[in-house]
Amino acid sequence: MAYDLTSQKFLRDPRPTITAMQADAPVVQVKLPLIGKLWMTTTDAGARMVLKDTARFVRDSGPITGKSMKQRFWYLPRFLSPIFENLVNADGARHKRLRGLVDQAFARTSITDLRPEMAALADTLIDAMPHDRPVDIASSFARPLPTQAICSLLGVPASDRAHVNRITSSFSEVTGTFGMIKAVPGLWRTMRYFRSEFTRVRAAPGDGLITQLVQANDAGDSFNDDELLAMAVALFLAGSETTAHLITTCVHTALTMPEACRIITDQPEALPLLIEEVMRFYAPVFMTQPLFVAADTELDGVALRKGDQIAPLLIAANHDPIRFDDAGTLIPNRRPNAHLGFGTGPHVCLGMQLARAEVEVALTQLFARYPDMKQASPDVKPVYARRIGVHGLARLDVVLAP
């Protein structure tokens, strides 16, 4: 059976397609733009197996297919090579080494200490939004807040942040080969900027994560400049867009579900549960990047061949009726809620605690100022972003003070 995971119909309500996939098999084959044919898991157990079994399912295609990431994207300029050698695409000892160094850097950074600055950033963005006419929450608030928060986390000087926001803005527009090529100038400027930052903080260390990454050292081992560059770019690519979609989706949920809105405005102690449930139900990253089958094997009765691509369908895992009671219903205070929105295993999301804090702060500040906010056009069908694997509204027009 053919499944369309890129249509607006699927993105508006993935549940019928997920139900059909789960009824078909625990592992099904689909075809996606840019990626081609690949296998997808449709259950929680299958997703966890693939993400944790690093011997059978690997990130680096080179040893398996004979083509590295750089070779697969041969048409891109050579200066982009370092970003293909990042933590996300590493396996085994190399991944353990890189993860150990970055975990060391993150351990020195307090997310709690960043909350007051996040709140101030949110208030500044709210102040700039018009309250007497419709405003797009996605572009005016949900996207710039995570990007500015990451700048703060990294220790990007305040005077440089508008520039960094501008040159990284094209990353979220990549929906195909043309979009990837269109993003090249922004990537070049971003890489040039961060290389200059590495030089700057070596001469004058600061308080941000860039300094911590530069200084990270494990028994004499440290990041080289290409690894530092890959990590900094990955933080923008992986962190800002995902969190932006989660913020927008939480706002949309609050505007369409009175119970969720009451939690934000009147029950701050329950807000973390609501965010986790929105993360489960909508899965802003609804699938992982494709992994590669390391050798002929079998998964849930399906024969897989060496070199096959396979991706856990996280949104299907999060709607697995075996794992979750009433899986197809958004329950704001669901507990327990062991969803896979942030992944699992050795590649579990590095920035999940930062994302949770950003969303909590964003919702708290926004609804404190405008508790009666409404959708500008509630009868208009929502339009979702077209980027493969991402599940989030392209825009959300609201009236802040009806």
Side-chain angles (χ1 to χ4, degrees), residues 1-290:
M1 184 175 178
Y3 302 104
D4 185 354
L5 304 186
T6 61
S7 69
Q8 289 294 309
K9 181 180 179 180
F10 169 79
L11 294 170
R12 286 176 185 139
D13 187 3
R15 288 172 295 179
T17 300
I18 291 170
T19 299
M21 295 174 81
Q22 290 171 337
D24 189 3
V27 183
V28 300
Q29 195 168 55
V30 301
K31 186 176 182 180
L32 293 176
L34 277 183
I35 297 171
K37 288 184 178 180
L38 77 161
W39 296 99
M40 280 189 166
T41 62
T42 66
T43 66
D44 175 86
R48 291 177 189 275
M49 173 65 74
V50 171
L51 291 172
K52 292 181 177 181
D53 192 341
T54 56
R56 287 197 296 166
F57 308 105
V58 302
R59 306 279 176 139
D60 185 358
S61 62
I64 308 303
T65 67
K67 281 190 175 183
S68 65
M69 288 288 288
K70 287 185 286 187
Q71 290 170 319
R72 291 173 64 206
F73 293 96
W74 56 267
Y75 50 85
L76 294 177
R78 291 182 63 183
F79 74 81
L80 292 176
S81 294
I83 68 173
F84 294 124
E85 304 300 328
N86 63 47
L87 177 69
V88 176
N89 297 321
D91 296 300
R94 183 168 179 271
H95 174 263
K96 184 178 180 180
R97 168 184 165 264
L98 293 174
R99 183 78 186 214
L101 287 168
V102 75
D103 282 346
Q104 182 186 121
F106 264 89
R108 298 173 184 168
T109 303
S110 170
I111 302 301
T112 301
D113 290 346
L114 288 174
R115 280 179 175 262
E117 184 172 357
M118 290 182 201
L121 291 171
D123 285 339
T124 299
L125 292 169
I126 294 169
D127 287 341
M129 292 191 292
H131 64 271
D132 57 347
R133 62 182 185 276
V135 59
D136 175 22
I137 281 290
S139 62
S140 299
F141 183 70
R143 289 179 199 147
L145 180 60
T147 304
Q148 292 183 23
I150 289 175
C151 283
S152 177
L153 175 72
L154 289 172
V156 173
S159 58
D160 290 350
R161 291 180 186 179
H163 172 66
V164 172
N165 291 343
R166 187 166 55 253
I167 62 179
T168 59
S169 62
S170 62
F171 297 174
S172 63
E173 300 172 3
V174 177
T175 59
T177 303
F178 176 74
M180 191 176 294
I181 294 172
K182 186 179 176 182
V184 165
L187 281 166
W188 180 79
R189 294 185 184 97
T190 301
M191 294 169 76
R192 183 178 63 173
Y193 175 81
F194 280 118
R195 287 194 188 279
S196 69
E197 276 297 283
F198 302 150
T199 300
R200 183 183 68 82
V201 301
R202 286 191 177 104
D207 296 327
L209 188 60
I210 288 179
T211 294
Q212 303 299 340
L213 290 169
V214 167
Q215 294 179 343
N217 191 290
D218 183 10
D221 183 31
S222 59
F223 289 114
N224 61 42
D225 269 14
D226 282 353
E227 290 167 343
L228 285 170
L229 189 59
M231 184 58 62
V233 173
L235 283 169
F236 275 96
L237 287 171
S240 56
E241 183 181 15
T242 304
T243 308
H245 286 315
L246 183 54
I247 292 171
T248 306
T249 302
C250 282
V251 173
H252 184 253
T253 300
L255 299 184
T256 54
M257 179 181 284
E259 183 182 355
C261 188
R262 283 194 296 272
I263 287 174
I264 298 172
T265 57
D266 302 328
Q267 299 173 256
E269 71 282 357
L271 181 53
L273 292 178
L274 171 63
I275 293 169
E276 294 302 312
E277 177 65 350
V278 171
M279 189 72 176
R280 179 197 72 86
F281 191 83
Y282 289 103
V285 176
F286 71 75
M287 59 174 280
T288 71
Q289 71 173 64

